[in-house]
């Protein structure tokens, strides 16, 4: 069964070691993606937007090849999705968005900030996605935790959407948009967002910040994609130090932040850096004669606890397909903080080789440690009922013996970075 983590960074969070009562792991992917086919969003839009949607959809050209391929229906075909994930050993998933919501030029994670006139339509589009997602999750009871989308331009509207999501069974929490330079909304450290943090803390709604969601527009120059790859994870990490230094966790101690698909190996070093600046600035604030004193003025009172303590008590990482070089850092990150994900149905995901992805990362580890990283922590954070999932895992989950066997050969057609050079077989 799934246990509860203590926030110490050493608790395994499980009693049985597998979660199934058998020799199979209950695997929950904390990073999957889904969305409706474009025209299928129409019934979920308020009728007042139907004519506008028809006009917009008639001229819209989807920019994403994977959403035009014959495999695109993995985003919305519930039966196909369940079958492919079970074949991959996965029994449940946290569902982030993937397809294009109404009135957006591109996926909402990547869409540039709109004009004020476009906000109303885009809010309608995101509400349509969230309502579709509620039905999609209901089609597989207890096996999907849907992540609702919001915008930050209207905090009151965001609060209303959080309450709607909670009342309508979207247990994955909310997707926190980025606020990159030039976005036109307050930085994430701003207390303008306190009503949003307050309702999420009140209702136990996780705040998810996904990789790729916070980078500023970079234009169309040839170097833009390379620069995006270099910078995107840094911009994604910004949410952590903004909320920490902004005092969101002091004012709302029940708030939960999950950082997904942005790696995990960076966390110990960044926490050390944040602790350093926290200590340095707080100390400087007591010495009014120094030039640095002004940078730490009021920081201790605003933040409360230091960054590492906030991490231990409030934060988690959706580590996706954890790489072998990250695994030795698991105790410094916190065993009760790490949630594995397959990134289904993306090309860079581990499907159909998730078992191999688990082996290349976790072979040789104690089964209790593997159990919490591949499912126990996600069950606790997102409220999955392991009593419902364990019987499914007893049928389709990877065996403890299988995952314990080191991977000696990477599948030739594996496309996930989990199998990239430098992340191959590790001797424990």
């Amino acid at each position: 069964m799934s246990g509860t983590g203590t926030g110490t960074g050493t608790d395994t969070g499980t009693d049985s070691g597998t979660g199934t009562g058998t020799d199979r792991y209950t695997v929950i992917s904390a990073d999957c993606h889904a969305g409706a086919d474009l025209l299928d969003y129409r019934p979920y839009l308020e009728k007042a937007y139907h004519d506008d949607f028809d006009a917009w959809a008639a001229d819209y050209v989807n920019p994403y090849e994977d959403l035009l391929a014959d495999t695109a229906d993995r985003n919305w075909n519930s039966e196909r999705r369940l079958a492919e994930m079970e074949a991959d050993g996965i029994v449940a998933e946290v569902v982030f968005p993937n397809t294009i919501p109404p009135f957006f030029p591109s996926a909402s994670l990547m869409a540039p900030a709109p004009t004020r006139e476009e906000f109303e339509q885009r809010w309608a589009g995101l509400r349509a996605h969230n309502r579709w997602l509620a039905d999609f999750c209901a089609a597989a009871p207890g096996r999907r935790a849907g992540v609702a989308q919001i915008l930050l331009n209207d905090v009151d509207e965001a609060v209303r959407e959080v309450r709607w999501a909670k009342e309508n069974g979207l247990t994955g929490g909310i997707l926190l948009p980025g606020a990159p330079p030039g976005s036109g909304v307050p930085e994430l450290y701003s207390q303008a967002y306190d009503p949003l943090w307050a309702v999420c803390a009140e209702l136990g709604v996780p705040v998810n910040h996904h990789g790729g969601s916070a980078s500023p527009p970079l234009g169309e120059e040839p170097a833009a994609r390379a620069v995006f790859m270099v910078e995107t994870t840094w911009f994604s990490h910004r949410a952590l130090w903004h909320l920490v230094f902004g005092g969101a966790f002091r004012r709302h101690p029940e708030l939960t932040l999950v950082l997904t698909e942005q790696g995990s190996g960076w966390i110990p070093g960044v926490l050390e850096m944040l602790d350093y600046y926290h200590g340095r600035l707080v100390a400087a604030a007591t010495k009014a004669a120094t030039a640095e004193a002004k940078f730490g003025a009021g920081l201790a009172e605003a933040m409360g606890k230091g960054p590492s303590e906030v991490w231990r008590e409030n934060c988690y990482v959706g580590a996706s397909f954890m790489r072998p070089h990250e695994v030795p850092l698991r105790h410094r990150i916190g065993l009760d903080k790490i949630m594995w994900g397959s990134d289904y149905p993306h090309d860079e995901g581990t499907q159909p080789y998730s078992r191999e992805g688990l082996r290349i990362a976790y072979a040789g580890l104690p089964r209790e440690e593997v159990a919490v990283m591949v499912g126990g922590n996600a069950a606790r954070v997102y409220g999955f009922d392991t009593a419902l999932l364990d019987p499914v895992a007893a049928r389709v989950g990877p065996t403890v013996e299988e995952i314990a066997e080191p991977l000696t050969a990477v599948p030739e057609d594996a496309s996930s970075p989990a199998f990239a050079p430098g992340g191959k077989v590790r001797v424990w």
Side-chain angles (χ1 to χ4, degrees), residues 74-155:
R74 292 188 297 174
N75 285 283
W76 56 79
N77 185 328
S78 183
E79 292 183 1
R80 176 178 183 173
R81 190 178 183 101
L82 284 172
E84 290 189 356
M85 295 188 74
E86 285 191 3
D88 218 22
I90 298 168
V91 300
E93 57 176 328
V94 180
V95 185
F96 288 87
N98 196 47
T99 61
I100 311 300
F103 306 116
F104 279 76
S106 59
S108 59
L109 282 174
M110 302 297 298
T115 63
R116 181 173 296 178
E117 291 72 25
E118 292 174 298
F119 269 127
E120 182 181 340
Q121 286 187 333
R122 293 200 184 181
W123 262 114
L126 292 191
R127 287 194 296 268
H129 171 82
N130 294 342
R131 282 140 187 78
W132 173 87
L133 183 60
D135 281 352
F136 185 69
C137 291
R143 298 183 66 178
R144 293 176 180 147
V147 179
Q149 297 191 76
I150 61 168
L151 292 172
L152 295 177
N153 68 299
D154 186 332
V155 175

Side-chain angles (χ1 to χ4, degrees), residues 267-344:
I267 292 169
V270 165
L271 289 178
E272 289 178 2
M273 180 266 290
L274 297 180
D275 284 340
Y276 164 75
Y277 278 111
H278 173 255
R280 172 178 163 182
L281 294 175
V282 168
T286 65
K287 302 172 183 178
T290 68
E292 201 170 65
K294 62 182 179 181
F295 289 100
L299 186 63
E301 295 79 6
M303 283 182 58
K305 298 172 182 176
S308 285
E309 191 171 359
V310 170
W311 174 264
R312 288 192 298 270
E313 295 187 4
N314 299 90
C315 303
Y316 298 85
V317 58
S320 298
F321 30 79
M322 202 171 183
R323 278 82 158 178
H325 69 273
E326 296 173 299
V327 175
L329 299 171
R330 65 194 181 278
H331 293 287
R332 294 177 62 194
I333 297 167
L335 276 174
D336 57 342
K337 300 297 177 184
I338 298 168
M339 299 181 287
W340 180 88
S342 69
D343 201 23
Y344 179 96

Side-chain angles (χ1 to χ4, degrees), residues 30 52 64 69 82 92 143 155 159 181 212 234 250 318 412 420:
D52 289 344
Y64 298 110
L82 284 172
R143 298 183 66 178
V155 175
V159 168
W234 184 87
R250 180 189 65 79
E412 290 186 3

Side-chain angles (χ1 to χ4, degrees), residues 1-91:
M1 65 180 182
S2 174
T4 55
T6 64
T8 63
T10 57
D11 179 50
T12 61
T14 188
D15 295 322
S16 70
T18 60
T20 65
T22 69
D23 282 337
R24 294 181 183 266
Y25 289 114
T26 297
V27 181
I28 300 171
S29 173
D31 180 28
C32 289
H33 297 265
D37 199 3
L38 186 65
L39 296 181
D40 289 341
Y41 277 125
R42 190 179 191 274
Y44 293 93
L45 275 169
E46 299 165 49
K47 289 184 178 180
Y49 295 98
H50 282 187
D51 289 344
D52 289 344
F53 175 77
D54 291 342
W56 172 79
D59 296 328
Y60 184 75
V61 178
N62 197 312
Y64 298 110
E65 292 182 5
D66 63 312
L67 296 180
L68 299 172
D70 58 4
T71 56
D73 75 321
R74 292 188 297 174
N75 285 283
W76 56 79
N77 185 328
S78 183
E79 292 183 1
R80 176 178 183 173
R81 190 178 183 101
L82 284 172
E84 290 189 356
M85 295 188 74
E86 285 191 3
D88 218 22
I90 298 168
V91 300

